[in-house]
Amino acid sequence: MKRLLIPSWLLFVAIGCEKPGEAKLGFEAIWPNAVSYEIFVQSFNDTDGDGIGDINGVTEKLDYLEELGIKGIWLMPIMPSPSYHKYDVTDYRDIHSDYGTLEEFRHLVSEAHKRDIRIIIDLVINHSSSQHPWFLQAKSSPQSQYRDYYVWGDYDSVKTALTKMETSPDSDNIYQWHDPKVENNDQRYFGFFSNQMPDLNFDHQPLRNEIYDIGRFWLKEIGVDGFRLDAARHIYPHERAADSHAFWVEFRERMESFKSDVLLVGEVWAESEEVAPFLQGLHSTFNFELRNRLIQAIKDEEASYLAVDHKAMIEEYSQFTEEFYDAIILSNHDQNRILSDLNGDIPQLKLAAAVLHSLPGTPYLYYGEEIGMLGVKPDPLIREPFLWDQKDEDHGRPTWEEAVYSTDEAVKSLGQQKKDTASVFNFYKRLLSTRNGSEALTLGDIEPLDKSVSQLLIFKRISQNQEVLVLHNVSSGPLIWDLPQELGDFSTVLFSNGQHSRYQNMLQMDPWSSIFFVK
Ligand code: CA
């Protein structure tokens, strides 16, 4: 235990600076190593006044995203679909008419590229919509050319499964086999998530070819930079995980033949040991396990092992490939918003963000996180409209749903926050600027240090030309700690949040505070 008695506070020198330090070495992170941003178009920015966010609304906010320090955008599904969330596609080669047109989307891609911002789109290929023309034809007749695009089982062979419910992290208590409810049919179709989302049959080569051509369309004809692959874990049932891994290897080969630097980011919602083999095909996967541990560490005020845990996950991934991007998040469209999970505590949100952005990987912000938006499931309430300005002045705010959590009373708009140097927005902007400008924070390995003080998370990030010493006080109380002699020359502050004082190697940290040093 290294809490020490201090002779006099007056000896300490305040070092809590509020601007990035000097030691940047002229580094500037580039995508896909830099910070990305997830957008639910529907709730982002409405430019034609119909109450629904649109593609032009994203284009209009590119300058804002550039100011924030964003280098990549992941758009949640933009293709035609009967649902508000659009994770059930009816046409894989078009834009939903609520959102705009292919021409408007091409314009967005072009404007983003002018700013060195890359665009990846959600590609939902585990299943289609039950309203997709393929499925409508497939279910109408066993002789349809599209019948084998889907997975069918004779009633007798699946009848015991019809009443069996499966629980997984991304679905709960739902049936997997469904009745198509057409005449003269004794077969049932497989739909892991719901009867409105029939799974596509990847044992059927014509279906695979169709999917590859959809990839070619978006990469070659439209110019997107990659895909976020929804439900990547469910291409085949869990007992055929190796077939799912092999599919993604083939998918990657095909996509790289269309665009050599394509980025494939997969949703594999599982513990790291199950995620790891997917990285043979996917370039990147989201790290849900780290997200859960980070939040738990804050709740428990016990974070000293977080760097060790993250390093272990990275080593797990490294058993399958040396080249991968660990996509790290505080939350996305499927989880409660991070600030709600932290009970609305802004200092804890800033600490969580500082921890995330000091770890290895490629961070993704969920839209609105940077202004402290709130939201608790069910899903529509974690996907509420962005607050650009105060209510009467907010011309871009979508109105398709009325906010329950991110109301004007509960969340300060971006416009208000821009004027406040202590706002969540200005904190995020400073944090992203620090990370994007640091070679070690962007590319470096992680070296966990002293784990003996449970509320102190301390580690080094080490790259070829830079070392950063990172300290977080993950607790509601002040922390006093003496830097070991060998760390004494880390004396220049690269980033800090909260007040800190240092007397020689003795460091005092505020509750929920962070400080990064370079030599
Ligand atoms: Ca609109």
Side-chain angles (χ1 to χ4, degrees):
M1 195 65 178
K2 292 189 175 166
R3 279 170 179 262
L4 300 175
L5 286 174
I6 307 302
S8 164
W9 291 108
L10 295 173
L11 292 173
F12 280 71
V13 179
I15 52 169
C17 77
E18 293 291 323
K19 59 180 188 296
E22 311 272 313
K24 283 196 170 185
L25 298 169
F27 181 85
E28 187 64 26
I30 55 169
W31 184 90
N33 289 302
V35 183
S36 287
Y37 189 88
E38 177 191 1
I39 296 178
F40 181 41
V41 175
Q42 180 111 350
S43 283
F44 195 57
N45 182 33
D46 174 21
T47 56
D48 61 4
D50 67 353
I52 298 174
D54 40 54
I55 297 295
N56 286 340
V58 179
T59 311
E60 191 176 85
K61 296 299 181 184
L62 286 171
D63 288 341
Y64 162 66
L65 295 175
E66 189 177 29
E67 177 191 353
L68 178 59
I70 298 301
K71 311 276 184 166
I73 295 171
W74 152 27
L75 296 176
M76 284 166 62
I78 54 176
M79 299 169 199
S81 162
S83 65
Y84 87 93
H85 53 72
K86 301 176 179 41
Y87 277 100
D88 46 343
V89 174
T90 52
D91 182 352
Y92 285 100
R93 290 181 177 83
D94 206 351
I95 302 285
H96 196 291
S97 57
D98 285 348
Y99 288 2
T101 65
L102 276 174
E103 270 321 295
E104 287 165 350
F105 184 70
R106 278 198 179 92
H107 180 62
L108 164 62
V109 172
S110 151
E111 288 298 311
H113 287 174
K114 281 181 195 166
R115 294 163 177 80
D116 266 340
I117 295 174
R118 309 302 172 95
I119 304 264
I120 68 172
I121 60 170
D122 232 307
L123 189 60
V124 188
I125 57 172
N126 174 69
H127 50 264
S128 75
S129 165
S130 58
Q131 301 304 309
H132 195 292
W134 297 339
F135 188 72
L136 294 177
Q137 292 187 51
K139 78 171 184 179
S140 72
S141 163
Q143 279 72 50
S144 161
Q145 63 166 314
Y146 295 108
R147 184 74 171 186
D148 288 335
Y149 273 37
Y150 297 89
V151 180
W152 298 91
D154 290 333
Y155 175 77
D156 283 342
S157 67
V158 302
K159 68 180 176 191
T160 54
L162 282 171
T163 54
K164 203 174 89 182
M165 294 193 284
E166 189 169 330
T167 304
S168 78
D170 47 0
S171 67
D172 51 293
N173 286 340
I174 39 118
Y175 299 109
Q176 271 81 49
W177 290 94
H178 313 280
D179 184 348
K181 296 187 174 151
V182 290
E183 285 179 20
N184 302 321
N185 172 73
D186 61 355
Q187 290 201 311
R188 299 293 179 267
Y189 66 94
F190 186 80
F192 181 81
F193 292 99
S194 88
N195 64 347
Q196 291 162 25
M197 298 178 171
D199 275 46
L200 290 164
N201 175 14
F202 285 87
D203 281 331
H204 186 55
Q205 194 60 43
L207 180 272
R208 285 198 180 204
N209 294 343
E210 188 98 56
I211 295 297
Y212 299 148
D213 194 62
I214 289 163
R216 181 202 58 77
F217 172 79
W218 288 100
L219 293 171
K220 298 279 280 191
E221 292 186 35
I222 306 297
V224 302
D225 300 287
F227 302 112
R228 180 266 184 184
L229 286 316
D230 184 61
R233 175 176 179 238
H234 298 291
I235 292 299
Y236 287 97
H238 297 164
E239 59 272 23
R240 292 182 62 188
D243 290 327
S244 291
H245 306 155
F247 166 73
W248 289 116
V249 171
E250 184 175 294
F251 183 83
R252 175 177 177 155
E253 284 168 8
R254 296 300 182 97
M255 295 308 112
E256 287 180 343
S257 77
F258 304 132
K259 187 180 178 68
S260 60
D261 61 348
V262 64
L263 182 74
L264 306 178
V265 191
E267 178 200 29
V268 181
W269 200 330
E271 300 286 294
S272 54
E273 84 182 346
E274 193 182 334
V275 172
F278 281 87
L279 289 165
Q280 298 166 98
L282 301 165
H283 302 96
S284 179
T285 49
F286 290 100
N287 196 331
F288 295 100
E289 188 180 354
L290 177 70
R291 182 245 179 205
N292 294 340
R293 290 198 189 196
L294 199 165
I295 293 170
Q296 200 58 47
I298 292 172
K299 288 184 185 299
D300 295 343
E301 303 190 19
E302 283 185 15
S304 59
Y305 277 85
L306 201 65
V308 178
D309 291 346
H310 192 203
K311 191 177 169 71
M313 295 172 203
I314 292 167
E315 284 170 356
E316 190 109 50
Y317 297 161
S318 303
Q319 290 176 22
F320 290 90
T321 173
E322 282 303 314
E323 287 180 29
F324 60 88
Y325 302 96
D326 185 17
I328 56 176
I329 56 170
L330 290 180
S331 73
N332 72 13
H333 64 282
D334 283 325
Q335 290 125 12
N336 291 342
R337 282 191 173 270
I338 178 66
L339 184 53
S340 290
D341 265 352
L342 298 174
N343 301 314
D345 189 309
I346 299 279
Q348 288 183 38
L349 170 67
K350 289 179 175 176
L351 183 272
V355 171
L356 190 88
H357 290 265
S358 63
L359 289 170
T362 60
Y364 284 71
L365 266 67
Y366 180 43
Y367 82 95
E369 181 186 321
E370 77 278 22
I371 57 169
M373 279 177 62
L374 297 160
V376 175
K377 285 193 170 218
D379 288 344
L381 304 186
I382 56 179
R383 304 167 183 174
E384 292 181 337
F386 193 98
L387 291 86
W388 296 103
D389 253 306
Q390 282 160 287
K391 196 180 282 179
D392 297 337
E393 301 158 23
D394 197 344
H395 305 300
R397 190 188 308 184
T399 55
W400 70 275
E401 72 169 334
E402 192 167 345
V404 173
Y405 290 98
S406 290
T407 60
D408 288 273
E409 292 70 34
V411 177
K412 287 205 171 82
S413 70
L414 175 69
Q416 291 169 292
Q417 294 200 27
K418 278 192 165 184
K419 297 171 198 154
D420 173 7
T421 53
S423 67
V424 174
F425 167 73
N426 277 313
F427 167 79
Y428 263 88
K429 192 175 155 182
R430 194 162 57 83
L431 179 64
L432 267 55
S433 166
T434 303
R435 180 172 176 110
N436 286 333
S438 164
E439 183 192 83
L441 292 177
T442 299
L443 302 173
D445 292 331
I446 186 165
E447 182 185 318
L449 297 171
D450 192 335
K451 302 174 285 293
S452 66
V453 182
S454 63
Q455 62 270 51
L456 175 66
L457 173 58
I458 176 170
F459 53 87
K460 273 200 254 182
R461 298 291 311 281
I462 304 168
S463 64
Q464 198 171 4
N465 301 303
Q466 192 185 36
E467 285 190 26
V468 178
L469 176 66
V470 175
L471 298 102
H472 302 283
N473 176 8
V474 186
S475 80
S476 53
L479 179 74
I480 298 162
W481 198 74
D482 62 334
L483 286 173
Q485 203 63 44
E486 67 270 20
L487 298 177
D489 52 352
F490 284 92
S491 53
T492 303
V493 178
L494 180 66
F495 175 86
S496 76
N497 178 48
Q499 292 302 310
H500 306 86
S501 320
R502 183 167 173 170
Y503 173 67
Q504 295 179 346
N505 282 345
M506 213 168 288
L507 188 65
Q508 186 211 354
M509 299 179 71
D510 264 8
W512 309 119
S513 70
S514 304
I515 189 159
F516 309 167
F517 290 107
V518 290
K519 287 178 183 172

